[in-house]
Amino acid sequence: MHFPLMETSSSSWVFKFFFARLLIFFLSSSPCFSWRLHSSIINSTIEHQNHTFISEFRVVTRRLLNECPDPNPYLQIEVTPNSNLADEENVTVTISGVLVPDEHDWVAMISPSNSDISKCPLNEVLYIETGDLTKLPLLCHYPIKAQYLGIDQDYLKCTKKECKEYDNGKCVLNTCSGSLKFHVINIRTEIEFVFFAGGFDTPCILTRSNPVKFANPKQPLYGHLSSIDSTGTSMRLTWVSGDKEPQQVQYENRKQTSEVTTFTQDDMCSLLVPSPAKDFGWHDPGFIHSAVMTGLQPSSIYSYKYGSDSVGWSDQFQFRTPPAGGSNELKFLIYGDMGKAPHDASIEHYIQPGALSVVRALTDEVDSGNVESIFHIGDISYATGFLVEWDFFLQLISPVASQVSYMTATGNHERDYQESGSVYITPDSGGECGVPYETYFPMPTAAKDKPWYSIEQASVHFTIISTEHDWSENSDQYEWMKRDMATVDRSKTPWLIFMGHRPMYTSTDGVFSVDKNFVKDVEPLLLDNKVDLAFFGHVHNYERTCAVYQEECKAMPTMDENGISTYDNSNYSAPVHAVMGMAGFTLDKFKTDDVDCWSLRRISNFGYVRGHATKEEINFEFVNANTRQIEDSFRIIKKQSSEFVDVSQIMNRFAGMPMDEPNTQSDI
């Protein structure tokens, strides 16, 4: 403990302060301390069973938060700016008048969990179900993010001193101060900053700021695009606002009016133990607007803005429509398991450490003009019941999702929850049960909670499924997969790519990495329909296989002198599988022994996959997001049957192309 800079002649209340600090120190180590979790809860999993990720910070909402026994009259908290916050801003929080700087002192950014805080006492009944009978939600709010004040090294060293008491002209009592920077985005509701002692395990409140408001809580924000069909002539724009009245998207002297929706706490899932989404993780999502821009041309560039005169307009953006299904060339990016990470030094509920570097690299790719579409195959935001984190994710991807079609698949952290209809009965969605995901990312699906669909762009047919919904033989999704892949016109779209979240093959150890029943039921469909590639996420690394079926290599690629592997699908044998869950979440390690023969390339680095398809071949490159280096490169070629290709296509294919020498080097 760091003692204050003072003389023994200072007033008696100072000694009361020291006594109070010592009381906090000793009581915090006692199992009887009133704001610690009861030992029966600490030593059990009951209280945490609906959390998909556990940390001291994530469960701070289960602590009873008293005012600290701290008589310090000098303590102050200053927030700059303290009103009319911009839609994105770095806010400085300064704590001053501290007598005893401590490494466990921390500052939290708080947002109201509902607009009428007088209702908070009613939430007590929900906590009875947890077995944690004395704990109430944190200030009827929950911490969005937090930082230890010791991040400012001047704080613990008390470099910034201010004299508070003098004796005969001599300073007898100094206080200390420290400052933190918080990256803040417009989440519509007021925010507060609260200064705590006791760390995350035994927090008590020292002081708190006044509420800080955003300049325009109704501002239209976080617009992102998606395709609604395979024509490339229409694009959906979805955005968030605090305004429930319809707004517009204006583009190329045209306009479309938005449809408006939202979701409530009643839409979230919960069981005997309240889920984060239903209870202390709830945050009002505002209103989600969606409008379809029509009358577009494929592979073309347009500008747009969205909003209304009454609440304001977004910036002007440019976007590119994808190529129409059946045309020749497509340039696209694929990845899974991204999530988000803070732009400041904060601790958050669930941080995916690679997300920032990946988004920076993706932004450069999109800004270059060489990307026409993006596919994010599950585990989208990792909000997992802490709803405000969807806003942070949408803000993070805005630089890319505002410019090109951003297509998604659902993952376990969007959908899974007990007794909710998901295949897996884990609490991985934190009680969201797919509702926020489907609201924020409306895909061209047949119905709500049936998040499977297909779309064609240029020479590729994408079949996108939900591994979290029933895929067993004769289920609705199984029958849809059969019909969709069986009816692909391979003369129009010669490449068939299958996407879902959970993989069929991985060299990473893990009980839940591969579901053998999923493989047993669905893998034969891939073979029967001559799927070229199967892309998955869920496992947090990159891995590529041979052309594999039932764990046997049916064909091997060749490798040229540049290290590029080539699969020849002219005489089809089996799909190539690739796992690409390396876009943000903490990376998984590969097993070091007993590597299966079907595994050809294994990389545990943050990155994404760059795709380039023509009717003659399809190329892929794994890009390391930090170095921007290509760490794996492969392609698939296919000599189309004469019954599908006319003479002009054949002539165009070979005109001016040098013939490659055959290469038989194996890529093992």
Side-chain angles (χ1 to χ4, degrees):
M1 183 173 289
H2 184 92
F3 288 95
L5 303 168
M6 59 173 289
E7 302 292 335
T8 56
S9 58
S10 57
S11 57
S12 61
W13 69 263
V14 177
F15 295 102
K16 295 179 182 178
F17 171 82
F18 286 123
F19 176 77
R21 274 289 194 172
L22 288 170
L23 186 64
I24 293 173
F25 176 78
F26 287 116
L27 287 179
S28 65
S29 62
S30 166
C32 299
F33 191 40
S34 64
W35 54 75
R36 286 183 69 89
L37 291 177
H38 189 274
S39 58
S40 64
I41 300 299
I42 291 173
N43 296 324
S44 74
T45 59
I46 296 174
E47 195 266 340
H48 302 313
Q49 75 174 45
N50 284 342
H51 288 271
T52 183
F53 170 74
I54 303 300
S55 70
E56 286 183 345
F57 177 67
R58 194 166 170 82
V59 298
V60 73
T61 47
R62 295 300 198 188
R63 294 351 185 213
L64 177 65
L65 293 165
N66 294 330
E67 300 293 328
C68 298
D70 186 344
N72 181 354
Y74 302 123
L75 202 58
Q76 291 186 337
I77 183 169
E78 180 183 1
V79 180
T80 307
N82 60 11
S83 64
N84 295 321
L85 295 180
D87 296 328
E88 181 178 13
E89 188 147 9
N90 287 314
V91 172
T92 301
V93 179
T94 300
I95 307 296
S96 60
V98 177
L99 290 166
V100 184
D102 188 275
E103 63 180 352
H104 297 106
D105 295 342
W106 58 289
V107 177
M109 186 175 116
I110 305 295
S111 179
S113 58
N114 74 56
S115 57
D116 181 5
I117 63 173
S118 65
K119 295 179 180 178
C120 288
L122 300 179
N123 290 344
E124 183 175 6
V125 68
L126 297 177
Y127 281 84
I128 293 175
E129 297 182 6
T130 71
D132 188 7
L133 304 181
T134 60
K135 316 308 187 279
L136 291 175
L138 174 57
L139 305 176
C140 303
H141 314 130
Y142 75 95
I144 295 172
K145 54 171 64 179
Q147 296 182 41
Y148 280 104
L149 201 49
I151 290 173
D152 181 352
Q153 296 183 0
D154 291 336
Y155 178 69
L156 293 179
K157 295 176 182 178
C158 200
T159 304
K160 301 172 184 176
K161 301 181 182 70
E162 184 178 1
C163 188
K164 295 297 185 181
E165 287 193 17
Y166 292 88
D167 185 4
N168 295 322
K170 182 181 179 182
C171 181
V172 294
L173 179 64
N174 279 306
T175 61
C176 311
S177 65
S179 296
L180 299 169
K181 291 276 190 182
F182 283 86
H183 174 249
V184 175
I185 65 169
N186 189 344
I187 55 173
R188 300 166 298 282
T189 53
E190 297 174 351
I191 60 175
E192 300 170 354
F193 293 91
V194 183
F195 180 36
F196 293 93
F200 298 149
D201 193 43
T202 58
C204 63
I205 301 167
L206 289 167
T207 188
R208 56 192 286 185
S209 74
N210 292 323
V212 183
K213 297 182 178 181
F214 289 95
N216 184 5
K218 294 185 177 182
Q219 177 68 31
L221 293 165
Y222 317 136
H224 49 285
L225 299 158
S226 59
S227 297
I228 67 166
D229 57 30
S230 301
T231 65
T233 60
S234 300
M235 288 282 274
R236 181 184 298 277
L237 179 70
T238 304
W239 69 93
V240 179
S241 171
D243 181 35
K244 67 179 179 180
E245 298 301 320
Q247 299 173 15
Q248 290 182 347
V249 55
Q250 295 184 354
Y251 63 104
E252 304 298 319
N253 298 317
R254 285 171 280 183
K255 59 187 179 182
Q256 297 289 346
T257 300
S258 67
E259 296 181 355
V260 187
T261 188
T262 190
F263 52 89
T264 70
Q265 278 178 285
D266 291 338
D267 297 316
M268 303 295 100
C269 296
S270 198
L271 292 175
L272 184 64
V273 179
S275 68
K278 189 80 169 182
D279 189 13
F280 49 85
W282 171 256
H283 185 270
D284 191 322
F287 298 92
I288 293 85
H289 294 250
S290 186
V292 176
M293 294 179 280
T294 59
L296 309 174
Q297 292 297 315
S299 302
S300 301
I301 296 175
Y302 298 90
S303 62
Y304 70 95
K305 65 178 181 178
Y306 54 93
S308 70
D309 290 337
S310 60
V311 302
W313 292 90
S314 71
D315 294 333
Q316 193 86 9
F317 296 92
Q318 279 196 335
F319 75 97
R320 179 187 295 269
T321 54
S327 59
N328 184 45
E329 187 176 19
L330 173 67
K331 296 176 180 179
F332 58 108
L333 306 175
I334 314 174
Y335 50 83
D337 304 75
M338 177 183 280
K340 70 256 161 295
H343 284 283
D344 54 30
S346 291
I347 299 166
E348 294 179 352
H349 294 102
Y350 216 174
I351 293 175
Q352 289 70 52
L356 294 184
S357 64
V358 171
V359 168
R360 283 192 292 267
L362 296 175
T363 302
D364 289 344
E365 292 267 10
V366 172
D367 287 347
S368 74
N370 290 321
V371 176
E372 296 165 306
S373 198
I374 291 176
F375 292 86
H376 184 164
I377 49 178
D379 284 4
I380 308 297
S381 75
Y382 287 94
T384 60
F386 289 84
L387 275 302
V388 77
E389 297 187 12
W390 278 104
D391 286 282
F392 280 87
F393 175 77
L394 293 172
Q395 193 268 345
L396 179 67
I397 66 167
S398 288
V400 295
S402 62
Q403 296 191 68
V404 296
S405 174
Y406 198 94
M407 308 304 290
T408 59
T410 193
N412 52 303
H413 287 293
E414 285 75 61
R415 183 59 184 84
D416 291 3
Y417 200 76
Q418 303 95 314
E419 299 182 16
S420 69
S422 55
V423 174
Y424 305 98
I425 57 171
T426 68
D428 287 357
S429 76
E432 293 183 9
C433 293
V435 174
Y437 162 71
E438 289 198 48
T439 308
Y440 287 122
F441 289 94
M443 294 293 111
T445 59
K448 283 288 187 183
D449 205 30
K450 291 188 175 183
W452 47 87
Y453 63 97
S454 65
I455 196 162
E456 293 181 346
Q457 295 181 351
S459 52
V460 184
H461 180 101
F462 296 95
T463 297
I464 300 167
I465 72 157
S466 168
T467 57
E468 312 312 300
H469 290 74
D470 190 359
W471 31 252
S472 62
E473 197 166 351
N474 299 322
S475 67
D476 286 349
Q477 184 173 200
Y478 182 90
E479 293 300 321
W480 174 85
M481 284 187 279
K482 277 178 60 177
R483 289 193 305 273
D484 179 74
M485 291 189 287
T487 55
V488 176
D489 183 349
R490 301 301 278 266
S491 67
K492 179 183 175 185
T493 51
W495 305 109
L496 175 52
I497 295 179
F498 182 90
M499 293 185 184
H501 184 59
R502 295 177 187 257
M504 296 185 182
Y505 293 90
T506 175
S507 297
T508 302
D509 290 326
V511 177
F512 302 108
S513 295
V514 173
D515 184 336
K516 293 187 181 300
N517 289 323
F518 172 58
V519 178
K520 176 178 67 70
D521 285 359
V522 178
E523 190 180 25
L525 290 179
L526 308 189
L527 188 73
D528 292 346
N529 291 284
K530 298 185 177 180
V531 167
D532 296 290
L533 293 130
F535 288 143
F536 303 96
H538 193 59
V539 178
H540 306 127
N541 50 38
Y542 170 85
E543 185 169 18
R544 170 171 59 87
T545 72
C546 59
V548 63
Y549 182 67
Q550 294 182 344
E551 301 187 2
E552 292 183 7
C553 285
K554 301 300 182 181
M556 296 292 288
T558 59
M559 183 187 289
D560 66 17
E561 65 276 6
N562 296 315
I564 300 173
S565 299
T566 298
Y567 300 81
D568 190 344
N569 274 16
S570 303
N571 185 17
Y572 181 82
S573 55
V576 176
H577 289 246
V579 172
M580 43 192 65
M582 67 286 132
F585 196 94
T586 301
L587 295 167
D588 291 328
K589 295 180 180 180
F590 292 99
K591 58 186 179 182
T592 56
D593 54 1
D594 250 353
V595 176
D596 295 287
C597 63
W598 43 257
S599 177
L600 303 187
R601 194 74 172 93
R602 297 174 296 282
I603 302 171
S604 188
N605 286 322
F606 293 119
Y608 55 95
V609 169
R610 182 190 291 151
H612 181 198
T614 66
K615 289 195 173 183
E616 289 74 34
E617 64 180 66
I618 188 164
N619 294 267
F620 294 94
E621 296 171 333
F622 170 76
V623 182
N624 182 316
N626 290 308
T627 66
R628 310 295 175 90
Q629 297 297 307
I630 296 170
E631 297 188 354
D632 185 40
S633 184
F634 69 98
R635 67 183 189 134
I636 302 177
I637 61 173
K638 186 186 301 184
K639 297 180 179 67
Q640 296 186 37
S641 170
S642 59
E643 66 179 296
F644 292 144
V645 183
D646 61 30
V647 174
S648 63
Q649 287 178 310
I650 297 173
M651 296 299 292
N652 287 336
R653 176 180 175 185
F654 290 104
M657 290 182 61
M659 295 299 292
D660 290 332
E661 293 297 323
N663 190 312
T664 58
Q665 182 179 356
S666 180
D667 180 28
I668 297 184

